[in-house]
Amino acid sequence: MKKALKQLLNAFDKLAEDGHDEVTDTDVRERMHDAVYKTLVVPQADYELPDEFGMLSPEGNKKVKAILAKFLAHPEFAEAKKLPTPQARLDAFQDVEVESGEGNSYDEYFGYTDPFE
């Protein structure tokens, strides 16, 4: 999932550079984390990406949704969903080896989730 994750992080770097730096705000990060959690880590069959991610403008919310939708459609995401446990899927997403071109890792945009016990 390294390529998909790197593309995701680069897209959020670009969004922040384009004037939507609130993408790193706690509220936005928690909402984006929730989306990844409910689509990958512990998938919910009826879950759909929301229209609102806590961005300061409707345009910002649309861009976040589009970035996440592209990530969810990536072939590597589909492969990661097949991993046998929630912990394995979380580990695939929280890959500390993957950074954006700006040097940001997943936690810059999604925070950190403790391992399952």
Side-chain angles (χ1 to χ4, degrees), residues 23-26 28-30 32-33 90 93-94 105-114:
V23 73
T24 60
D25 289 353
T26 300
V28 178
R29 289 171 42 167
E30 288 175 354
M32 293 192 310
H33 172 272
L90 178 63
F93 182 73
Q94 292 189 161
S105 61
Y106 70 88
D107 61 335
E108 179 71 15
Y109 299 109
F110 297 90
Y112 174 78
T113 299
D114 289 327

mmCIF file of all heavy atoms in Angstrom, residues 23-26 28-30 32-33 90 93-94 105-114:
data_model
loop_
_atom_site.group_PDB
_atom_site.id
_atom_site.type_symbol
_atom_site.label_atom_id
_atom_site.label_comp_id
_atom_site.label_asym_id
_atom_site.label_seq_id
_atom_site.Cartn_x
_atom_site.Cartn_y
_atom_site.Cartn_z
ATOM 1 N N VAL A 23 -6.371 21.477 6.800
ATOM 2 C CA VAL A 23 -6.433 20.020 6.641
ATOM 3 C C VAL A 23 -5.674 19.300 7.756
ATOM 4 O O VAL A 23 -5.921 18.123 8.021
ATOM 5 C CB VAL A 23 -5.934 19.595 5.227
ATOM 6 C CG1 VAL A 23 -4.432 19.721 5.103
ATOM 7 C CG2 VAL A 23 -6.374 18.172 4.899
ATOM 8 N N THR A 24 -4.794 20.014 8.456
ATOM 9 C CA THR A 24 -4.068 19.397 9.573
ATOM 10 C C THR A 24 -4.711 19.715 10.930
ATOM 11 O O THR A 24 -4.201 19.272 11.958
ATOM 12 C CB THR A 24 -2.596 19.851 9.600
ATOM 13 O OG1 THR A 24 -2.542 21.267 9.753
ATOM 14 C CG2 THR A 24 -1.860 19.425 8.342
ATOM 15 N N ASP A 25 -5.817 20.443 10.932
ATOM 16 C CA ASP A 25 -6.512 20.738 12.185
ATOM 17 C C ASP A 25 -7.049 19.448 12.803
ATOM 18 O O ASP A 25 -7.423 18.509 12.091
ATOM 19 C CB ASP A 25 -7.676 21.709 11.956
ATOM 20 C CG ASP A 25 -7.227 23.123 11.632
ATOM 21 O OD1 ASP A 25 -6.011 23.400 11.702
ATOM 22 O OD2 ASP A 25 -8.097 23.950 11.295
ATOM 23 N N THR A 26 -7.135 19.420 14.105
ATOM 24 C CA THR A 26 -7.556 18.213 14.821
ATOM 25 C C THR A 26 -8.910 17.700 14.351
ATOM 26 O O THR A 26 -9.073 16.496 14.106
ATOM 27 C CB THR A 26 -7.593 18.476 16.339
ATOM 28 O OG1 THR A 26 -6.274 18.849 16.757
ATOM 29 C CG2 THR A 26 -8.032 17.250 17.111
ATOM 30 N N VAL A 28 -10.480 18.066 11.489
ATOM 31 C CA VAL A 28 -10.387 17.510 10.135
ATOM 32 C C VAL A 28 -9.653 16.169 10.183
ATOM 33 O O VAL A 28 -10.092 15.185 9.577
ATOM 34 C CB VAL A 28 -9.679 18.495 9.178
ATOM 35 C CG1 VAL A 28 -9.530 17.897 7.789
ATOM 36 C CG2 VAL A 28 -10.438 19.819 9.120
ATOM 37 N N ARG A 29 -8.555 16.120 10.905
ATOM 38 C CA ARG A 29 -7.777 14.871 11.014
ATOM 39 C C ARG A 29 -8.631 13.753 11.591
ATOM 40 O O ARG A 29 -8.580 12.620 11.102
ATOM 41 C CB ARG A 29 -6.553 15.086 11.907
ATOM 42 C CG ARG A 29 -5.492 15.933 11.268
ATOM 43 C CD ARG A 29 -4.395 16.329 12.216
ATOM 44 N NE ARG A 29 -3.967 15.244 13.088
ATOM 45 C CZ ARG A 29 -2.885 15.266 13.825
ATOM 46 N NH1 ARG A 29 -2.104 16.325 13.808
ATOM 47 N NH2 ARG A 29 -2.556 14.274 14.593
ATOM 48 N N GLU A 30 -9.419 14.055 12.620
ATOM 49 C CA GLU A 30 -10.254 13.022 13.230
ATOM 50 C C GLU A 30 -11.321 12.520 12.261
ATOM 51 O O GLU A 30 -11.601 11.322 12.205
ATOM 52 C CB GLU A 30 -10.899 13.550 14.507
ATOM 53 C CG GLU A 30 -9.897 13.703 15.638
ATOM 54 C CD GLU A 30 -10.470 14.341 16.886
ATOM 55 O OE1 GLU A 30 -11.652 14.784 16.874
ATOM 56 O OE2 GLU A 30 -9.735 14.400 17.891
ATOM 57 N N MET A 32 -11.125 12.543 8.944
ATOM 58 C CA MET A 32 -10.462 11.762 7.885
ATOM 59 C C MET A 32 -10.027 10.403 8.442
ATOM 60 O O MET A 32 -10.144 9.382 7.755
ATOM 61 C CB MET A 32 -9.276 12.532 7.305
ATOM 62 C CG MET A 32 -9.707 13.766 6.547
ATOM 63 S SD MET A 32 -8.408 14.549 5.547
ATOM 64 C CE MET A 32 -7.052 14.709 6.662
ATOM 65 N N HIS A 33 -9.542 10.398 9.667
ATOM 66 C CA HIS A 33 -9.170 9.138 10.317
ATOM 67 C C HIS A 33 -10.380 8.214 10.395
ATOM 68 O O HIS A 33 -10.290 7.021 10.110
ATOM 69 C CB HIS A 33 -8.621 9.396 11.716
ATOM 70 C CG HIS A 33 -8.410 8.153 12.500
ATOM 71 N ND1 HIS A 33 -9.395 7.593 13.263
ATOM 72 C CD2 HIS A 33 -7.341 7.336 12.605
ATOM 73 C CE1 HIS A 33 -8.943 6.479 13.816
ATOM 74 N NE2 HIS A 33 -7.696 6.312 13.429
ATOM 75 N N LEU A 90 -4.436 -1.765 9.861
ATOM 76 C CA LEU A 90 -3.978 -0.519 10.482
ATOM 77 C C LEU A 90 -2.484 -0.327 10.253
ATOM 78 O O LEU A 90 -2.035 0.767 9.903
ATOM 79 C CB LEU A 90 -4.293 -0.528 11.982
ATOM 80 C CG LEU A 90 -3.837 0.700 12.773
ATOM 81 C CD1 LEU A 90 -4.545 1.963 12.290
ATOM 82 C CD2 LEU A 90 -4.078 0.480 14.262
ATOM 83 N N PHE A 93 -1.661 0.955 6.867
ATOM 84 C CA PHE A 93 -1.929 2.385 6.716
ATOM 85 C C PHE A 93 -0.937 3.233 7.502
ATOM 86 O O PHE A 93 -0.447 4.243 7.016
ATOM 87 C CB PHE A 93 -3.363 2.711 7.151
ATOM 88 C CG PHE A 93 -3.709 4.154 6.962
ATOM 89 C CD1 PHE A 93 -3.918 4.658 5.690
ATOM 90 C CD2 PHE A 93 -3.782 5.011 8.037
ATOM 91 C CE1 PHE A 93 -4.209 6.002 5.491
ATOM 92 C CE2 PHE A 93 -4.078 6.357 7.864
ATOM 93 C CZ PHE A 93 -4.289 6.848 6.589
ATOM 94 N N GLN A 94 -0.623 2.827 8.709
ATOM 95 C CA GLN A 94 0.292 3.586 9.565
ATOM 96 C C GLN A 94 1.740 3.153 9.307
ATOM 97 O O GLN A 94 2.481 2.836 10.227
ATOM 98 C CB GLN A 94 -0.082 3.406 11.048
ATOM 99 C CG GLN A 94 -1.385 4.055 11.401
ATOM 100 C CD GLN A 94 -1.690 4.077 12.887
ATOM 101 O OE1 GLN A 94 -2.519 4.859 13.326
ATOM 102 N NE2 GLN A 94 -1.060 3.255 13.684
ATOM 103 N N SER A 105 4.321 12.184 7.184
ATOM 104 C CA SER A 105 3.818 10.814 7.252
ATOM 105 C C SER A 105 2.318 10.849 7.549
ATOM 106 O O SER A 105 1.734 11.919 7.733
ATOM 107 C CB SER A 105 4.572 10.017 8.319
ATOM 108 O OG SER A 105 4.388 10.603 9.588
ATOM 109 N N TYR A 106 1.711 9.681 7.608
ATOM 110 C CA TYR A 106 0.259 9.574 7.799
ATOM 111 C C TYR A 106 -0.229 10.375 9.007
ATOM 112 O O TYR A 106 -1.308 10.951 8.987
ATOM 113 C CB TYR A 106 -0.152 8.097 7.948
ATOM 114 C CG TYR A 106 0.317 7.521 9.258
ATOM 115 C CD1 TYR A 106 -0.474 7.615 10.394
ATOM 116 C CD2 TYR A 106 1.584 6.964 9.389
ATOM 117 C CE1 TYR A 106 -0.008 7.152 11.617
ATOM 118 C CE2 TYR A 106 2.041 6.509 10.605
ATOM 119 C CZ TYR A 106 1.241 6.597 11.716
ATOM 120 O OH TYR A 106 1.694 6.164 12.922
ATOM 121 N N ASP A 107 0.555 10.421 10.091
ATOM 122 C CA ASP A 107 0.071 11.054 11.315
ATOM 123 C C ASP A 107 -0.109 12.566 11.179
ATOM 124 O O ASP A 107 -0.856 13.175 11.942
ATOM 125 C CB ASP A 107 0.936 10.702 12.523
ATOM 126 C CG ASP A 107 2.375 11.147 12.387
ATOM 127 O OD1 ASP A 107 2.863 11.308 11.259
ATOM 128 O OD2 ASP A 107 3.027 11.322 13.434
ATOM 129 N N GLU A 108 0.536 13.188 10.202
ATOM 130 C CA GLU A 108 0.349 14.623 9.967
ATOM 131 C C GLU A 108 -1.099 14.923 9.593
ATOM 132 O O GLU A 108 -1.648 15.964 9.968
ATOM 133 C CB GLU A 108 1.275 15.101 8.844
ATOM 134 C CG GLU A 108 1.136 16.562 8.506
ATOM 135 C CD GLU A 108 1.691 17.499 9.586
ATOM 136 O OE1 GLU A 108 2.431 17.050 10.476
ATOM 137 O OE2 GLU A 108 1.360 18.687 9.526
ATOM 138 N N TYR A 109 -1.738 14.004 8.873
ATOM 139 C CA TYR A 109 -3.092 14.212 8.380
ATOM 140 C C TYR A 109 -4.146 13.332 9.042
ATOM 141 O O TYR A 109 -5.337 13.619 8.931
ATOM 142 C CB TYR A 109 -3.138 14.006 6.866
ATOM 143 C CG TYR A 109 -2.251 14.987 6.137
ATOM 144 C CD1 TYR A 109 -1.073 14.576 5.530
ATOM 145 C CD2 TYR A 109 -2.570 16.334 6.088
ATOM 146 C CE1 TYR A 109 -0.239 15.475 4.884
ATOM 147 C CE2 TYR A 109 -1.749 17.248 5.446
ATOM 148 C CZ TYR A 109 -0.591 16.812 4.838
ATOM 149 O OH TYR A 109 0.224 17.711 4.201
ATOM 150 N N PHE A 110 -3.736 12.266 9.706
ATOM 151 C CA PHE A 110 -4.692 11.324 10.265
ATOM 152 C C PHE A 110 -4.490 11.034 11.749
ATOM 153 O O PHE A 110 -5.288 10.325 12.344
ATOM 154 C CB PHE A 110 -4.635 9.988 9.498
ATOM 155 C CG PHE A 110 -5.033 10.125 8.063
ATOM 156 C CD1 PHE A 110 -4.100 10.403 7.087
ATOM 157 C CD2 PHE A 110 -6.366 9.995 7.689
ATOM 158 C CE1 PHE A 110 -4.473 10.554 5.759
ATOM 159 C CE2 PHE A 110 -6.760 10.141 6.366
ATOM 160 C CZ PHE A 110 -5.796 10.417 5.405
ATOM 161 N N GLY A 111 -3.435 11.561 12.337
ATOM 162 C CA GLY A 111 -3.150 11.229 13.718
ATOM 163 C C GLY A 111 -2.667 9.785 13.832
ATOM 164 O O GLY A 111 -2.398 9.131 12.830
ATOM 165 N N TYR A 112 -2.557 9.313 15.060
ATOM 166 C CA TYR A 112 -2.039 7.977 15.325
ATOM 167 C C TYR A 112 -3.080 7.175 16.091
ATOM 168 O O TYR A 112 -3.718 7.691 17.016
ATOM 169 C CB TYR A 112 -0.747 8.060 16.142
ATOM 170 C CG TYR A 112 -0.221 6.725 16.578
ATOM 171 C CD1 TYR A 112 0.461 5.907 15.685
ATOM 172 C CD2 TYR A 112 -0.423 6.265 17.883
ATOM 173 C CE1 TYR A 112 0.951 4.668 16.084
ATOM 174 C CE2 TYR A 112 0.056 5.031 18.292
ATOM 175 C CZ TYR A 112 0.734 4.242 17.385
ATOM 176 O OH TYR A 112 1.203 3.019 17.775
ATOM 177 N N THR A 113 -3.257 5.916 15.705
ATOM 178 C CA THR A 113 -4.144 5.021 16.408
ATOM 179 C C THR A 113 -3.305 3.962 17.116
ATOM 180 O O THR A 113 -2.451 3.346 16.477
ATOM 181 C CB THR A 113 -5.134 4.329 15.433
ATOM 182 O OG1 THR A 113 -5.910 5.337 14.814
ATOM 183 C CG2 THR A 113 -6.045 3.368 16.179
ATOM 184 N N ASP A 114 -3.556 3.775 18.398
ATOM 185 C CA ASP A 114 -2.847 2.744 19.149
ATOM 186 C C ASP A 114 -3.171 1.370 18.597
ATOM 187 O O ASP A 114 -4.284 1.143 18.094
ATOM 188 C CB ASP A 114 -3.240 2.795 20.629
ATOM 189 C CG ASP A 114 -2.687 4.017 21.330
ATOM 190 O OD1 ASP A 114 -1.578 4.475 20.968
ATOM 191 O OD2 ASP A 114 -3.366 4.535 22.233
#
